[in-house]
């Protein structure tokens, strides 16, 4: 179930823009009269995994890529699959997983897999290719079982696989949010600590997500924007942020967080304007929860309770407070069918 494609290494490299042209499988322009203008498409994540075969010379040190092809010849640029941790090449019997970002081509029709190896020793035996599209809730598995090599099989270093020959599996559908984290503009506001975030919505919640530092994020007076892929739990109700106090600068002054749904363009604002720290600020806490505000409307209801706590008359439980009463004011953020945030003052 594949079509052979011969790839010339001297062909002109495609642009890194998200602008696509009508081209055939050899990157030649076609249907020029029908498509006078370029089409700009949104960017979405693709999750790709490749299993290398076990035969002799199955591995390769070449740089691999995929091209996702949709209807009307729309397609992504080459999505290069670069290995992490300074690993060199696809080893025999290995399973390598990647997350690549490319244009949303709509319904996928074909997937091209290839590599840049030009010499005979750059052969590669591909056993299986899988392409998952979280925003569509679907995963395609291709049983390739073919060589991508100059000196093996038919001498092709790239092939095009048709989704009609793939196994389609339904997966959990994801929503892409543009996340903007604003660090306060106060002295020593920036941090090197690990920051974790959980998102709560009307239709569930996420697991705790580590917000990657990437060397220059979360510095004083800075706005850091990146995309986040989560389950479709909208409308959003609140978020929880937690630091673990690690690093040379464990304290962090958080101003606010904004989350923009890239499908609906709805923006949820979460405001804190305080320290997350064991030692700084009045709260001296490393965790906080913030209600979502959408178009100036708070998405959770605040309710105040008064709670009385009586300390037992047993020595050692609370020094200097035997038999006394303590009154605490408890504020609860209440959500229909959701979790509760308990704040005591």
């Amino acid at each position: 179930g594949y079509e052979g494609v011969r790839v010339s290494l001297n062909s002109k490299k495609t642009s890194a823009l998200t602008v696509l042209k009508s081209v055939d499988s050899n990157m030649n322009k076609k249907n020029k009269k029908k498509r006078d203008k370029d089409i700009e498409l949104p960017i979405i994540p693709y999750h790709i995994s490749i299993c290398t075969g076990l035969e002799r010379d199955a591995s390769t040190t070449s740089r691999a890529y995929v091209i996702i092809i949709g209807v009307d010849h729309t397609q992504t640029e080459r999505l290069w699959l670069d290995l992490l941790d300074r690993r060199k090449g696809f080893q025999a019997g290995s399973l390598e997983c990647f997350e690549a970002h490319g244009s949303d081509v709509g319904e996928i029709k074909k997937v091209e897999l290839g590599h840049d190896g030009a010499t005979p020793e750059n052969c590669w035996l591909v056993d299986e290719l899988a392409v998952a599209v979280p925003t569509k809730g679907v995963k395609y598995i291709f049983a390739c079982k073919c060589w991508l090599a100059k000196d093996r099989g038919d001498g092709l270093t790239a092939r095009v696989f048709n989704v009609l020959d793939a196994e389609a599996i339904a997966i959990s559908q994801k929503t892409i949010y543009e996340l903007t984290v604003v660090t306060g503009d106060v002295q020593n506001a920036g941090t090197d600590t690990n920051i974790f975030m959980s998102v709560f919505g009307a239709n569930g919640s996420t697991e705790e997500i580590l917000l990657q530092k990437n060397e220059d994020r979360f510095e004083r007076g800075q706005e850091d924007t990146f995309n986040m892929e989560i389950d479709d739990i909208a409308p959003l109700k609140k978020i929880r942020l937690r630091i673990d106090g690690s690093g040379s600068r464990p304290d962090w002054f958080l101003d606010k967080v904004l989350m923009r749904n890239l499908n609906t363009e709805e923006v949820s604002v979460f405001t804190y304007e305080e320290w997350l720290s064991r030692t700084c600020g009045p709260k001296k806490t490393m965790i906080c929860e913030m209600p979502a505000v959408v178009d100036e409307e708070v998405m959770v209801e605040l309710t105040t309770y008064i709670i009385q706590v009586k300390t037992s008359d047993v020595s050692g439980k609370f020094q200097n407070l035997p038999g006394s009463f303590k009154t605490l004011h408890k504020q609860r953020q209440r959500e229909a069918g959701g979790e509760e945030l308990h704040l005591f003052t």
Side-chain angles (χ1 to χ4, degrees), residues 80-101:
W80 293 101
L81 308 178
D82 294 322
L83 296 166
L84 302 177
D85 303 325
R86 297 183 179 180
R87 286 178 294 160
K88 294 183 178 180
F90 295 79
Q91 301 302 315
S94 67
L95 175 64
E96 303 291 353
C97 300
F98 308 87
E99 179 176 333
H101 291 80

Side-chain angles (χ1 to χ4, degrees), residues 12 14 21 42 61 67 79 120 147 158 174 195 204 221 299 329:
K12 185 178 181 180
T14 56
K21 297 181 183 295
T61 57
I67 298 175
L79 306 179
W147 287 95
K174 303 290 185 179
I195 303 171
M299 303 303 289
H329 294 274

Side-chain angles (χ1 to χ4, degrees), residues 56-303:
R56 182 180 177 182
D57 299 327
S59 62
T60 185
T61 57
S62 298
R63 193 182 183 199
Y65 70 87
V66 295
I67 298 175
I68 312 297
I69 305 168
V71 296
D72 297 328
H73 304 286
T74 56
Q75 63 185 60
T76 67
E77 62 181 0
R78 285 189 178 186
L79 306 179
W80 293 101
L81 308 178
D82 294 322
L83 296 166
L84 302 177
D85 303 325
R86 297 183 179 180
R87 286 178 294 160
K88 294 183 178 180
F90 295 79
Q91 301 302 315
S94 67
L95 175 64
E96 303 291 353
C97 300
F98 308 87
E99 179 176 333
H101 291 80
S103 301
D104 184 355
V105 300
E107 182 182 359
I108 295 178
K109 294 298 184 180
K110 301 175 182 179
V111 177
E112 178 180 330
L113 173 65
H115 64 82
D116 64 356
T119 58
E121 59 266 22
N122 291 128
C123 54
W124 186 23
L125 178 60
V126 180
D127 188 48
E128 184 178 276
L129 166 68
V131 178
V133 192
T135 56
K136 312 291 184 184
V138 65
K139 178 179 182 180
Y140 300 103
I141 301 176
F142 302 89
C144 307
K145 302 187 184 304
C146 62
W147 287 95
L148 299 180
K150 290 281 188 180
D151 62 343
R152 298 294 177 94
D154 49 15
L156 300 175
T157 59
R159 296 181 187 274
V160 176
F161 300 92
N162 197 310
V163 296
L164 295 178
D165 300 316
E167 178 185 3
I169 300 175
I171 61 175
S172 176
Q173 189 167 359
K174 303 290 185 179
T175 300
I176 309 301
Y177 283 87
E178 181 186 77
L179 181 71
T180 300
V181 180
V182 183
T183 300
D185 190 10
V186 300
Q187 188 175 6
N188 300 322
T191 189
D192 295 324
T193 194
N194 290 321
I195 303 171
F196 302 89
M197 186 173 88
S198 303
V199 185
F200 301 82
N203 295 297
S205 61
T206 69
E207 296 181 350
E208 209 172 47
I209 303 166
L210 173 64
L211 304 184
Q212 298 290 343
K213 170 71 174 175
N214 284 5
E215 296 184 1
D216 59 352
R217 288 178 181 166
F218 317 127
E219 296 298 334
R220 175 178 176 175
Q222 190 165 289
E223 295 186 5
D224 299 296
T225 300
F226 43 95
N227 288 351
M228 173 178 288
E229 174 187 317
I230 65 173
D231 291 333
D232 186 8
I233 59 175
L236 302 185
K237 294 294 186 179
K238 66 180 181 182
I239 63 172
R240 177 184 298 144
L241 280 176
R242 178 179 70 85
I243 63 172
D244 65 2
S246 62
S248 60
R249 297 179 298 161
D251 309 315
W252 184 37
F253 192 98
L254 170 63
D255 187 357
K256 60 184 174 181
V257 175
L258 297 89
M259 294 184 68
R260 181 168 69 94
N261 188 317
L262 296 187
N263 292 331
T264 66
E265 295 298 324
E266 181 177 87
V267 178
S268 302
V269 181
F270 308 86
T271 304
Y272 189 59
E273 297 178 334
E274 193 49 83
W275 287 98
L276 284 174
S277 169
R278 286 194 183 99
T279 57
C280 299
K283 297 184 178 181
K284 292 182 173 52
T285 180
M286 298 170 65
I287 187 171
C288 67
E289 292 191 359
M290 295 163 281
V293 177
V294 179
D295 295 329
E296 299 184 353
E297 178 185 354
V298 180
M299 303 303 289
V300 294
E301 179 184 347
L302 298 180
T303 303

